[in-house]
Amino acid sequence: MEQQNIEPENYTILVVDDIYDNILLLNTVLSRAKYKVISATRGAEALEKINITNPDLMLLDVMMPD
């Protein structure tokens, strides 16, 4: 099996959470690892950002209002 090199700067991660501290923590950790990070605090906002940025991964709080 051939090993693939992952270059974090080529990947965008969308972080969705209604708790700002959670977004801040994930943003800090992922940015230090060189990933591009975008965030949203509401489901509707997340859907808009998905359409605009087409992220490679979404980290989503499933227990959010709305």
Side-chain angles (χ1 to χ4, degrees):
M1 180 180 273
E2 192 175 321
Q3 183 178 3
Q4 294 182 338
N5 290 332
I6 295 176
E7 297 178 12
E9 59 273 3
N10 294 332
Y11 296 95
T12 301
I13 300 174
L14 172 60
V15 176
V16 185
D17 202 314
D18 58 325
I19 300 173
Y20 179 74
D21 288 342
N22 292 345
I23 291 176
L24 185 60
L25 174 65
L26 287 168
N27 190 356
T28 301
V29 171
L30 295 169
S31 294
R32 285 184 183 170
K34 306 271 192 253
Y35 289 98
K36 291 180 259 179
V37 181
I38 55 176
S39 61
T41 57
R42 298 177 299 109
E45 180 185 3
L47 291 173
E48 290 174 15
K49 291 192 176 185
I50 288 169
N51 287 326
I52 294 168
T53 63
N54 193 26
D56 299 290
L57 175 70
M58 179 171 57
L59 301 176
L60 173 66
D61 176 2
V62 296
M63 299 294 291
M64 290 178 47
D66 300 334

